[in-house]
Amino acid sequence: MVDNNWINIILSRGLRLTGVFLTLTLLAGCVFLDYIPWLQPEEVTQEIEETASDTVLRLAFAGDTMGAGKVAPILEEQGYMYPFEEARPYFEESDLAMVNLETAMSDRGDAEDKAYAFRTHPDFVKGLDWAGIDLVSVANNHSLDYGVVAFLDTLDELQQHEIGYVGGGVNAEEAYREQTYEVNGQTVAFLGFSRVLPDVSWYAREDQPGLASGYQEERIYQGIRQASASADLTVVYIHWGNEMELEASDDQRRIAHQMVEEGADVVIGAHPHVLQELEWHQGKLIAYSLGNFVFTMSHEDIGRQTAILQLEIDAEGGQKATVSPFRIRHGAVWEAKGEEREEILRRLQTISTTGEWQDHVFYPR
């Protein structure tokens, strides 16, 4: 007959051994799982999201920029860096920054017979350079306000400070040609056109300095097709629309959509002197008007509201737009804060409805 005490001891030790074995098995399993990334879905998801959101390019854009009119005496007193003091960090942190240069930069030439003729001191280019502006569009209705001689001075000043330009040139070939940059392994092409020109004499021709006309739509589309064929990203900066209109016209929308369908990845507009809506079309950003930037004082408060638009492009070509509101005051642009900032964003959010807003960031749907 077996002693019951021995049975109890054997069972007790067996259970303890089984427990130890199970514990070791579980521990080994945990260690094993640590070395198999595909068995950890939460970490993999986070890694994919971080990779997908990696920014390959950051571009910055602002609107109509000049140092003439009421701005001129302020800049003479304060210096040519002054108007960009609070804007500079936004341009500097971007890979490329661009504005619409709506003036001649020269001390020569005679004013055209028009209501407003703008000519800015040549030293204004030093402010653009200091601010971190990499290129400008000269395709607008003021670049030739003081004739060809002042326009050529403008191009010379830009070249001397290594600031690129599109939308104008010493002849048609240069005016309609894209400006190309290699950034972070990406080829970025920029084009400029104007659908607001005082006279056909402002058109660049084979042997005549001037601007890239945007009135001939097929020429715009041809330029986009040519540029996009060899570029990873194609940007069109276009002067168009109606002054002080708060939203783009149907004609602007039609042309903007066609530009995207022809190969433009970004369309930036100017001329209305107010901020107009942002739109996503086929996942590409259209900013119909960025309004005034460093500019002579507007008679209407809404014309003194502006913004810097920063566009981020990820490795898959996805885009998101960040809007940083500014206020034009005393010949310069200053960051809008508090209720003023919220007012600018509320208006843009109300009229920009093709994407999703998260505070001041606009995402495509």
Side-chain angles (χ1 to χ4, degrees):
M1 185 173 180
V2 180
D3 191 330
N4 287 334
N5 289 330
W6 283 105
I7 294 172
N8 290 334
I9 290 170
I10 291 168
L11 290 172
S12 175
R13 288 180 178 176
L15 288 171
R16 281 202 297 272
L17 288 170
T18 303
V20 170
F21 177 75
L22 290 172
T23 301
L24 290 172
T25 301
L26 289 171
L27 287 172
C30 290
V31 172
F32 180 67
L33 286 172
D34 283 340
Y35 288 94
I36 307 181
W38 51 268
L39 288 177
Q40 301 174 58
E42 292 183 0
E43 291 185 20
V44 171
T45 301
Q46 182 180 2
E47 184 179 346
I48 291 171
E49 288 174 353
E50 288 175 358
T51 301
S53 63
D54 283 348
T55 299
V56 174
L57 285 171
R58 180 182 287 112
L59 308 179
F61 301 96
D64 299 340
T65 300
M66 47 87 93
K70 295 178 180 177
V71 181
I74 297 172
L75 300 187
E76 288 177 14
E77 179 183 343
Q78 300 289 340
Y80 293 95
M81 285 71 166
Y82 159 78
F84 303 103
E85 287 178 5
E86 293 195 0
R88 186 190 190 201
Y90 294 87
F91 296 140
E92 289 271 283
E93 72 182 8
S94 302
D95 296 305
L96 292 168
M98 183 180 192
V99 299
N100 173 50
L101 182 62
E102 191 141 13
T103 182
M105 291 190 300
S106 177
D107 53 12
R108 301 195 298 165
D110 297 316
E112 292 279 307
D113 183 16
K114 54 189 299 200
Y116 299 100
F118 297 145
R119 182 177 61 181
T120 296
H121 193 284
D123 283 349
F124 187 69
V125 74
K126 297 177 182 178
L128 295 174
D129 188 18
W130 178 83
I133 301 300
D134 297 288
L135 76 158
V136 301
S137 175
V138 295
N140 56 63
N141 56 314
H142 289 288
S143 288
L144 279 156
D145 277 356
Y146 278 75
V148 170
V149 64
F151 176 63
L152 293 177
D153 284 348
T154 303
L155 302 186
D156 287 342
E157 291 291 343
L158 292 168
Q159 288 171 353
Q160 288 176 30
H161 288 80
E162 297 183 346
I163 297 175
Y165 56 85
V166 293
V170 297
N171 53 36
E173 181 184 358
E174 183 178 48
Y176 289 95
R177 186 172 61 213
E178 70 271 18
Q179 180 78 255
T180 303
Y181 294 82
E182 298 292 331
V183 184
N184 302 335
Q186 302 288 302
T187 302
V188 187
F190 293 85
L191 291 161
F193 300 95
S194 181
R195 289 177 60 82
V196 187
L197 295 174
D199 191 81
V200 294
S201 64
W202 284 41
Y203 291 15
R205 303 191 186 280
E206 183 178 354
D207 57 354
Q208 174 182 307
L211 307 181
S213 168
Y215 292 111
Q216 297 76 29
E217 291 179 31
E218 181 52 37
R219 190 156 196 177
I220 297 176
Y221 307 145
Q222 179 183 351
I224 292 170
R225 290 193 295 267
Q226 180 176 324
S228 62
S230 56
D232 298 297
L233 191 85
T234 301
V235 180
V236 180
Y237 204 123
I238 186 166
H239 211 68
W240 61 356
N242 301 310
E243 293 186 357
M244 305 312 295
E245 290 289 333
L246 302 185
E247 295 185 45
S249 67
D250 290 341
D251 202 41
Q252 284 173 271
R253 292 192 184 92
R254 175 185 61 78
I255 295 169
H257 292 178
Q258 188 64 39
M259 284 194 282
V260 169
E261 289 160 19
E262 295 288 350
D265 298 288
V266 187
V267 176
I268 305 293
H271 178 66
H273 300 300
V274 293
L275 292 169
Q276 292 182 339
E277 69 267 34
L278 308 181
E279 181 185 357
W280 296 108
H281 182 66
Q282 297 183 355
K284 311 300 183 182
L285 181 70
I286 302 166
Y288 284 98
S289 172
L290 291 184
N292 295 327
F293 196 55
V294 175
F295 207 79
T296 192
M297 188 61 72
S298 173
H299 296 297
E300 298 188 38
D301 184 70
I302 201 164
R304 298 191 289 274
Q305 297 179 356
T306 187
I308 293 176
L309 175 68
Q310 289 176 297
L311 182 68
E312 294 182 39
I313 297 98
D314 65 30
E316 303 301 320
Q319 300 182 8
K320 71 175 181 180
T322 300
V323 178
S324 299
F326 276 72
R327 161 69 67 173
I328 302 166
R329 185 174 63 251
H330 194 60
V333 289
W334 310 97
E335 288 180 285
K337 300 184 183 299
E339 179 55 32
E340 188 172 54
R341 174 186 184 274
E342 297 307 311
E343 178 187 347
I344 294 171
L345 287 175
R346 272 197 303 270
R347 191 174 75 80
L348 280 178
Q349 290 165 356
T350 300
I351 60 178
S352 306
T353 59
T354 60
E356 300 292 338
W357 286 92
Q358 293 183 17
D359 188 40
H360 65 309
V361 182
F362 190 46
Y363 297 89
R365 285 202 179 96

